[in-house]
Structure formats: structure tokens, C-alpha cells
Amino acid sequence: MRLVLPGRRTDLDDDAPLRVAPGGLDEPVHDAPAVLEAVARGVPALTLTDFGVSRALINEVFVDSGLEGDAVDLVEGRFGNVRPEWLHDNHFHSPAEDDWADRAEELMVLRDAGALTVRPAARRSGGGALRRAWERKNALGAADRTAIGVVALVLGTPVRTVKRVLRRLRRVVLRPGASDAALVLPPRAQRDAVGAGSGGTGRTA
């Protein structure tokens, strides 16, 4: 699946704020980031890692893609070729492998038959019924007219405000990026990949 924004596609209604279009990432997507456009067309590309690799920099997804490099690579015109295994793992697979709809149908059949294994929630939040009422009130707004929803809103709003203030204070006290330190990788260069005999295209003309 891909998200398509209006304004750059002539086949969309002008008043449509957002469209979800079916298809793999290897299909033409004029509103995708340039690097994905290049990858989809087999054009060598480069993702800069001069400041490292981390979640905060939103470049973790390109780790081991073969596209990582630095400003020196950019200036010298040294771009990378994406690795086939990265393509497959990041939705640039063959349309023949698009089996998610069939698998979803099978799971729904199992669900209706009561044959699905009940799994524990991946994330549990404290608060019990009051927390659920809070989430329901936030989702439905005025449409939620339950008494417990009002109680949850009255109690939960100041709690959320305090949590936000504490979170901001924590960001000020801690060194920026300290919480993501474990996720940061050092900068990578295409010339290193070329020296190792894989990855980059070498210097272009």
C-alpha cells in the first residue's frame, strides 16, 4: 500500500486530502521520496549518514541497503546500488508474492470459527476501565456520552498535562539524542563498500 498526496498527481480530485492507492513500491509513485523513486527505477542513489544512523534521523530503514554514504560520496558522484535482499524485505517484492489479502481472509475464517489462538496483548496500559474510558472519550469526543467517559476526561487531562511537562523537562536535562544513543550507528561511506568489493557504483562521470 502507498499514500498519495494530491497536487502532484493529475488523476486525483483537487478536493481529496489524501488517497490510499494499492500496489507495491516498485510501481511508479510520483509522490514518494526521491530515493524510493530511484530505487524503484534501478537508478543508483545515496542516503547521507554524515550525522550517523538513528531513529531520530529517520534513516534506520536504509541500514545495509547499499545506499548509505556521506557528503564526500555525494560531491564525488559516488552512488550506491541497492541490495536485492533489502529490496525484498522492504516491499519491493514481486506482485506474485502479494498474499496478504488471502492470508487475511484465512485468518478471518479462523476467527469466525473460533479457531484463532488468543494471544496476550503486546502492550498493556495501566488504568483498567478508567484508562479504556479515557481512550474511548479521546477517540469519540462528544459522541461518547458515558458518565465514566466524563470522569476519565476530568481526571486524565491534568495527568496528561503533567506527563507532557515532565517529558519536556527530561529533554532539556538530558543531552539531545541521549535516549537514542544505543540506536546510533557511525557514518558509512560508499568508498568503503567499493573498497570491500560490493555496494557502490564507484565514481561517476
Side-chain angles (χ1 to χ4, degrees), residues 1-145:
M1 303 293 286
R2 61 184 189 271
L3 298 179
V4 180
L5 300 175
R8 296 169 63 188
R9 290 284 299 276
T10 58
D11 57 332
L12 298 180
D13 298 333
D14 292 336
D15 58 348
L18 182 67
R19 289 287 184 89
V20 179
L25 288 178
D26 56 342
E27 298 178 16
V29 186
H30 301 295
D31 295 271
V35 66
L36 295 184
E37 291 276 0
V39 167
R41 288 163 172 75
V43 177
L46 191 68
T47 59
L48 298 179
T49 63
D50 294 80
F51 298 100
V53 179
S54 74
R55 182 172 301 172
L57 296 173
I58 323 176
N59 58 2
E60 283 183 309
V61 68
F62 295 106
V63 170
D64 295 329
S65 65
L67 304 177
E68 300 139 298
D70 58 17
V72 175
D73 291 321
L74 179 63
V75 171
E76 296 181 354
R78 188 183 293 107
F79 299 90
N81 290 312
V82 68
R83 294 190 173 98
E85 57 270 22
W86 186 92
L87 282 175
H88 185 273
D89 292 342
N90 288 276
H91 308 290
F92 287 90
H93 52 267
S94 166
E97 297 183 57
D98 286 338
D99 60 349
W100 66 270
D102 293 335
R103 294 177 63 184
E105 290 283 354
E106 293 171 0
L107 290 172
M108 285 188 283
V109 170
L110 292 174
R111 178 204 60 190
D112 294 342
L116 278 181
T117 302
V118 178
R119 297 181 179 179
R123 177 181 178 184
R124 293 185 180 275
S125 299
L130 196 62
R131 175 58 183 263
R132 291 193 296 273
W134 160 263
E135 293 176 348
R136 183 173 62 249
K137 186 68 175 177
N138 272 282
L140 301 179
D144 176 27
R145 300 183 177 88

